[in-house]
Each structure stands twice: as C-alpha cells, then as structure tokens.
C-alpha cells in the first residue's frame, strides 16, 4: 500500500476519518451560512480597486464583459466543485478531492499549490487592508500616510499585523463565531456597494460607453513595459508584444479580474463543518457566485458610465485609480469616505475566509500524515488550534514585514491550477466510482468539465511569464518537502 497508484485514499476512508477522535470538526453551518461565507470571500478588493484600474489600463468600458467571462470560468469550475463536495464532504477541498481521484502525490501538489491561493492571498489582502486603513483615517482627519512604523532597520506594517492577529483570534474561537462576524461585516460592504450603484447611476453618461471595446493601443501602461518577464505567456508564445484595449485587452482583463472571484472555493474546505454538506455545499457555492457576479457587473457599468475610461488610467506618478476615483471626479466627496469604509469591510472578510481555507487545507494534510499529525488535534471548540495559530503567525509576519509586490498574480495561477485538477478529477471519479452517491451531479458531463479546463487554461496563459516561473519554483520546492517528509510520514507509509 506504500507506493505508486496504491496511494489513493478512498472516499469511504476520507469520510470515516471525519469521525476520528481528537480531530473532529463541529457541524455548525447551514446553507445560508455558506452562501454568506461565499459572498464574504468574494466581495472584497476586486470590486473596490481592480474594477477601476483594469478599465483604465486594459479593457475600457468592456471591463464589465471581462467580469462576465471570468464569472463563466468560475461558474464552470464551481459546478465541478459542487459535485465533488457532495460526493466527498470532507475538509480539504481540492486536496481531498485529488487524494480520492489521483492519489497522494497529486494531492500533495494540490495542497502545496493551495497555499498560494489562501496563505499568500491572506498576506496580500492584509497589506491592502492596511493601506485602506491609512486612507480612511486620513479622510477622518487623522494625519497618516501609511499604517507603518519603523522598528530599527525594519519597516513594520502595524495595520497588516493588527488585522491578521484580530482575525486569528476570531478563527481560534470557532467556526460559528467566525461566520457570525463574517456575516455582519459582509452586510456592511454589500450595503456600501449597493449605495455606490444607486448613487452612481444618476451620474452615468451614455457617451462614456463609446467605444465599448476601445481600439488596441500598443505598448503597456505598466512600469515594466518592454520586459519579456512581464509579458503574458500567450503574448510571448505568439511574439505579439504587449497590448492594451481591443479584444486582446478584453481577454487579458478577464485574467486580471479573475482575482476578484477568488475565494468561493473556500466553501468546499468547510464541507466537514456543514450540517447537510451533500446538498448545502453545492447550494452555497453556486448561490454565492450569482449575486456576486451581478454586483460586479452593476458596479463596472456604473463606474465606466460615470467617467471616461481614460480618466481611470494609471497616472505618470504611479497613482492607481480606484472605485472612489470616479466619485471624486464627479464631486461626490462624501461617497469617497463611504467607499473606503466598504473596502475595509470587504478586505476584512476576504482575509478571514482566506485564513480559514488555509487552516482547513493544512488540517486535512496533517490528518493524513503529510504534515505532523499533532497539528490536526482539535480543541474543545472543534478548531485545529495549532494550525490556526501557525497560519495566523505566518500571515501576520509576511504581511507586516515583507514587501509583497506582484505576488497577487501567484494567487491567480495557484487557484486556476487547482480548478483544472478538480475539473479533470470530477470526470475521472465519475468513471472510476460510478457507484458513489452524488447529491449534486455536474450537468452535461463531460462537456462542462472540459469547458472549465479550457477556460482556466486560457486565463493561465494570459498571466505573466514571471508568474509562471515563480509558480514552477514554488512547486519544485513543494516536491522537495514531500520527498523529504510527507511521503515517509504519510498514513500510507505505515500500512
């Protein structure tokens, strides 16, 4: 049982492990909790920052169409996640699904890959939260250019440290409290978004939508223009140089705004804590994507209708446009403060869900022995306390002390890679284990999974070469960790 293809963990064994004494999670989440969790994960940085800069620099008014394209890719993958979650209602999401389908090695690769989605996203968004905190305090009259302080030679981002420590405390107190906090903050940010749409629609001018897809503009608006490392893989393969606007810009924009949809798959990591996972997880995944997509499209249509897209382009001094920029240009200054508050709320729940997802992934890996098994022990509240504290500490240190730079794209490629494996895996498991009960079945099998794979691969080739190189280095490092520890300590190694 210790090698090769034999290291496939059966669905029955995965489910049986959820009742193992000392590593049991509490089943406390209903379908409304899960939908709220999904909205909390997705409505965040993208809607407040990514919409404006992508419209100004890459797609123009067609950014709304780019959001639809990204949503379709997510929706196709979501249908595959929904079937897996209803078949294997166990913590771990794509890691657990891969273990039951492809075996231990691929499961490790996926688990290591998901660190890019959850832990790196938690650190990146914590940094963004700190920046918005400084802006909000400055607007409130507190003189502050950044939420940082110098400690000797080190620049400490105390804002990022604050949010990471606070949310780690919430997560350590149990999933029910985490969900309640998330629901309250999500209600605030959704109200802010709706207010933005209602107020902004009165300032929309039809002329700003023309041309809807601006003609291509050669060159790049980024600071990295001319560097092949910052070309997308597709541009490099086709030797097309870089381009803004036009159809190429629209397609590139879809890859960029995909970041705004990250997090819905974190719902799958909570399958073990759902009261009726076979039905509620699929409903939560699909039920959260629909309202979020509507919100995104509404905001982008209002945004690009309020001001001409050229006014949202990055300025020569490096200033990047945000959702607040359009309101400031139209003289609606009070809305700028409200949008900053909404951004703070949005980023808070994104960090919360990212950390939650990472904790559940590592919990599943530790329970399988690929990480030290002692980390999988749960406390009296049904929480893996040690993993919670470790994840919180790592996110806090990375966000508070390290310059994160362009790592946001690493989150995209890590997530898309997981989506591809899940989409392939659902076809494999349907054929290898047709006997398994499935409360939800992906429709139009295998067409939907194939389309999901193709759409995700398309978004991946529209990411930069630098991102691909970093991804390869990260995965090689992961294989080294597996060969030196995971393989010999796995539960299969003792059978």
């Amino acid at each position: 049982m210790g090698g090769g293809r034999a290291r496939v963990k059966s669905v029955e064994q995965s489910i049986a492990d959820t009742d193992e004494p000392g590593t049991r999670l509490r089943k406390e989440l209903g379908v409304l909790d899960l939908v709220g969790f999904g909205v909390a994960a997705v409505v965040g940085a993208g809607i407040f920052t990514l919409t404006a800069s992508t419209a100004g620099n890459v797609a123009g008014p067609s950014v709304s169409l780019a959001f639809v394209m990204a949503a379709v890719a997510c929706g196709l993958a979501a249908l595959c996640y929904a079937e897996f979650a209803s078949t294997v209602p166990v913590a771990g999401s794509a890691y657990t699904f891969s273990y039951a389908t492809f075996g231990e090695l691929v499961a490790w690769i996926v688990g290591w890959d998901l660190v890019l989605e959850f832990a790196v996203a938690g650190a990146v968004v914590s940094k963004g939260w700190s920046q918005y905190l400084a802006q909000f305090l400055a607007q409130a009259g507190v003189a502050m250019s950044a939420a940082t302080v110098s400690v000797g030679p080190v620049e400490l981002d105390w804002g990022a440290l604050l949010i990471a420590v606070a949310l780690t405390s919430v997560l350590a107190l149990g999933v029910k409290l985490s969900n309640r906090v998330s629901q309250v903050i999500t209600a605030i940010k959704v109200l802010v978004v709706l207010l933005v749409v209602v107020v902004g629609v009165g300032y929309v001018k039809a002329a700003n939508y023309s041309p809807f897809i601006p003609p291509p503009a050669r060159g790049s608006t980024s600071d990295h223009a001319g560097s092949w490392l910052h070309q997308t893989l597709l541009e490099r393969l086709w030797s097309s140089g870089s381009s803004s606007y036009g159809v190429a810009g629209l397609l590139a924009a879809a890859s960029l705004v995909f970041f705004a949809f990250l997090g819905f798959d974190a719902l799958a990591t909570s399958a073990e804590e759902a009261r009726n996972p076979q039905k509620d997880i699929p409903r939560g995944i699909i039920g959260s994507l629909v309202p979020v997509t509507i919100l995104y499209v509404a905001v982008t249509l209002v945004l690009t209708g309020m001001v001409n897209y050229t006014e949202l382009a990055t300025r020569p001094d490096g200033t990047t446009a945000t959702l607040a920029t359009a309101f400031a240009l139209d003289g609606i200054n009070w809305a700028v403060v409200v949008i900053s508050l909404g951004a703070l709320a949005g980023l808070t729940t994104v960090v919360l869900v990212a950390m939650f997802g990472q904790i559940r992934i590592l919990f599943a890996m530790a329970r399988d022995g690929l990480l030290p098994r002692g980390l999988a022990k749960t406390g009296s509240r049904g929480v893996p306390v040690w993993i919670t504290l470790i994840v919180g500490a790592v996110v806090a240190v990375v966000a508070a002390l390290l310059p994160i730079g362009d790592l946001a794209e690493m989150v995209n490629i890590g997530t898309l890679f997981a989506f591809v494996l899940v989409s392939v895996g659902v076809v494999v498991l349907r054929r290898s284990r047709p006997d398994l009960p499935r409360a939800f079945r992906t429709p139009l099998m295998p067409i939907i999974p194939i389309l999901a794979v193709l759409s995700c691969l398309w978004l991946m080739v529209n990411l930069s070469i630098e991102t691909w190189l970093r991804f390869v280095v990260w995965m090689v490092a992961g294989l080294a960790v597996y060969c030196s520890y995971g393989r010999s300590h796995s539960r299969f190694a003792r059978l």
Side-chain angles (χ1 to χ4, degrees):
M1 295 284 293
R5 178 66 183 170
R7 289 195 173 196
V8 174
K9 187 177 181 181
S10 70
V11 173
E12 290 81 2
Q13 183 60 54
S14 293
I15 295 174
D17 285 348
T18 64
D19 287 325
E20 184 177 316
T23 61
R24 188 178 296 135
L25 299 174
R26 291 186 178 181
K27 296 183 178 295
E28 298 186 318
L29 301 177
V31 64
L32 294 180
D33 296 320
L34 294 167
V35 171
F37 212 53
V39 174
V42 180
V43 179
I47 203 164
F48 294 103
T49 59
L50 207 55
T51 50
S53 61
T54 305
N57 297 328
V58 185
S62 67
V63 67
S64 57
L65 185 55
F67 271 101
V68 173
M69 294 169 67
V72 169
C74 283
L76 293 170
L79 293 172
C80 300
Y81 265 90
E83 175 168 329
F84 254 131
S86 72
T87 310
V88 194
V90 178
S93 183
Y95 159 78
T96 301
F97 305 157
S98 297
Y99 216 149
T101 309
F102 302 111
E104 183 177 280
L105 177 59
V106 175
W108 168 269
I109 290 172
V110 172
W112 184 258
D113 165 72
L114 288 174
V115 174
L116 290 178
E117 176 178 359
F118 294 117
V120 175
V124 169
V125 180
S126 293
K127 203 83 167 179
W129 187 93
S130 177
Q131 294 168 353
Y132 264 103
L133 175 64
Q135 291 178 21
F136 181 74
L137 292 176
Q139 291 162 356
V142 179
M144 180 179 297
S145 58
T148 59
V149 62
S150 296
V151 181
V154 177
E155 193 75 10
L156 177 69
D157 191 328
W158 63 263
L161 181 64
L162 173 66
I163 189 63
V165 170
L167 294 181
T168 300
S169 302
V170 171
L171 288 164
L173 291 173
V175 67
K176 198 66 176 178
L177 176 62
S178 303
N179 188 59
R180 289 289 174 261
V181 171
S182 174
Q183 286 179 340
V184 171
I185 301 176
T186 299
I188 294 172
K189 66 181 179 182
V190 170
L191 286 174
V192 170
V193 172
L194 292 175
L195 180 65
V196 165
V197 173
V198 170
V199 173
V201 75
Y203 293 82
V204 168
K205 306 173 188 67
N208 288 329
Y209 293 126
S210 181
F212 188 70
I213 301 179
R218 306 308 301 173
S220 172
T221 56
S222 74
D223 295 333
H224 305 297
S227 171
W228 67 270
L229 281 174
H230 298 91
Q231 286 184 311
T232 69
L233 182 62
L234 184 65
E235 289 169 346
R236 189 65 182 176
L237 290 174
W238 288 91
S239 301
S240 60
S242 58
S243 175
S244 296
Y245 312 128
V247 174
L250 169 61
L251 297 175
S255 294
L256 291 173
V257 302
F258 178 81
F259 181 80
F261 287 94
L262 300 188
F264 82 85
D265 53 317
L267 280 177
T269 69
S270 66
E272 203 169 314
E273 292 157 279
R275 288 192 291 267
N276 185 8
Q278 286 83 358
K279 292 184 178 179
D280 289 351
I281 292 293
R283 291 171 180 169
I285 291 174
I286 298 168
S288 59
L289 271 181
V290 173
V292 164
T293 301
I294 293 172
L295 279 178
Y296 278 161
V297 172
V299 167
T300 51
L301 286 174
V302 168
L303 174 70
T304 54
M306 290 177 67
V307 297
N308 189 277
Y309 70 92
T310 56
E311 296 185 87
L312 300 174
T314 299
R315 297 174 185 172
D317 62 0
T319 303
T320 302
T322 67
L323 185 58
T325 302
F327 286 83
L329 290 171
D330 276 323
I332 319 171
N333 294 320
W334 63 266
V336 175
V337 179
V338 173
I339 290 171
S340 295
L341 175 62
L344 270 178
L347 296 178
T348 299
T349 58
V350 171
V351 176
L352 178 69
V353 175
M355 292 174 65
F356 174 88
Q358 183 62 83
I359 291 164
R360 269 48 183 182
I361 295 289
L362 296 181
F363 165 78
M365 296 175 76
R367 189 163 59 185
D368 291 332
L370 297 179
L371 296 174
R373 283 183 54 79
L375 297 177
K377 296 295 182 182
T378 53
S380 59
R381 297 178 182 272
V383 175
V385 179
W386 281 112
I387 292 180
T388 300
L389 295 177
I390 291 171
V391 169
V394 170
V395 170
V397 169
V398 171
L401 298 179
L402 301 181
I404 292 176
D406 298 327
L407 289 185
E409 279 200 17
M410 292 288 286
V411 180
N412 286 18
I413 197 168
T415 307
L416 286 165
F417 180 71
F419 283 7
V420 168
L421 285 180
V422 168
S423 300
V424 173
V426 77
V427 177
V428 173
L429 194 64
R430 182 80 74 90
R431 294 188 176 184
S432 63
R433 292 296 307 275
D435 57 304
L436 289 173
R438 292 168 169 84
F440 178 89
R441 300 175 71 89
T442 303
L444 301 177
M445 182 69 76
I447 296 174
I448 293 296
I450 291 173
L451 290 176
V453 169
L454 293 176
S455 60
C456 289
L457 289 176
W458 175 258
L459 293 175
M460 290 176 76
V461 298
N462 276 284
L463 294 171
S464 70
I465 295 173
E466 182 180 38
T467 297
W468 276 92
L469 292 176
R470 286 174 174 171
F471 179 68
V472 170
V473 171
W474 174 259
M475 298 311 290
V476 169
L479 286 173
V481 174
Y482 173 73
C483 292
S484 62
Y485 181 89
R487 181 172 177 79
S488 59
H489 289 79
S490 163
R491 297 179 68 167
F492 278 106
R494 301 192 299 272
L495 297 177

